[in-house]
Structure formats: structure tokens, C-alpha cells
Amino acid sequence: MTNLIERLADSVPAWGARLAYGEKTTLDGHDILPVAIVFFGFGGGEGSGDDPNSAMRGEGSGGGGGGYAIPIGAYIGGPHGPTFCPNPVALVIASAPLVSAAGLALARLLRSS
């Protein structure tokens, strides 16, 4: 199990850019490169736990992972180079935690003064 977790941890940095930027496609003569915010995580576990007072033997293992992506826009090629065109709905959803955290921090600062 430890080797699996170490291999996953070592490969995570290489996944970031590949997951955040999609495959470039061409539509109506324009190159389009989709962009997303990607979140993922992994977990694992092991166990033992022999009980000297009984005949039961403990063992264990485990693992899991998951993630999701929020499409925030695309780079679209044009005569003056690529231009980022945001997806407004996704940007609002992706920025909600940041705005909430900033609001809570500001409220605590104002309350403490």
C-alpha cells in the first residue's frame, strides 16, 4: 500500500497541467484550448491490531480518491494571438469560496477593531 501512495503522490504534479487544459481543437478555423479548475485528492490506509487476549487477528487496508473539474473558459486563437474567453457561470461558481472567505476575514477584522 505504501508504494502505491508514494507512486500516486509522485505523479500528481504531472497530472495538473494535463487535467487543467483540454485537448486543442479547431472550430471554424479557430484553435480552441479549453481550461478548467481541477480538484482531486487521494487517501489510503493500513492496519494491524493483533489482540493478545483473543484469537482474533486484525488486519486492514484501504484507499480511495476522487476529483472534479470546473470548466472556466477557453483560449481561442485569433489574428492577434490567443484570447481567453471566460465561462461566466463557472467563474462565479469557482470564485464563490474566495469571495466568502474574503468577506468572513473582513467581517472579523472589522469586529476586532
Side-chain angles (χ1 to χ4, degrees):
M1 179 65 84
T2 304
N3 290 336
L4 174 63
I5 294 170
E6 288 175 358
R7 283 187 289 163
L8 284 173
D10 289 341
S11 64
V12 166
W15 295 348
R18 274 190 282 153
L19 294 175
Y21 297 98
E23 293 291 323
K24 182 174 82 168
T25 59
T26 303
L27 182 64
D28 293 332
H30 297 286
D31 290 334
I32 298 173
L33 181 68
V35 181
I37 294 176
V38 180
F39 301 95
F40 54 89
F42 296 96
E46 288 188 1
S48 190
D50 292 343
D51 187 0
N53 298 327
S54 73
M56 299 184 83
R57 235 182 114 83
E59 286 190 37
S61 65
Y68 62 96
I70 301 171
I72 59 169
Y75 283 102
I76 300 176
H80 302 293
T83 304
F84 182 73
C85 296
N87 176 351
V89 174
L91 285 177
V92 168
I93 291 170
S95 65
L98 177 63
V99 172
S100 297
L104 288 171
L106 182 61
R108 287 185 180 180
L109 283 173
L110 292 176
R111 200 175 320 139
S112 67
S113 341

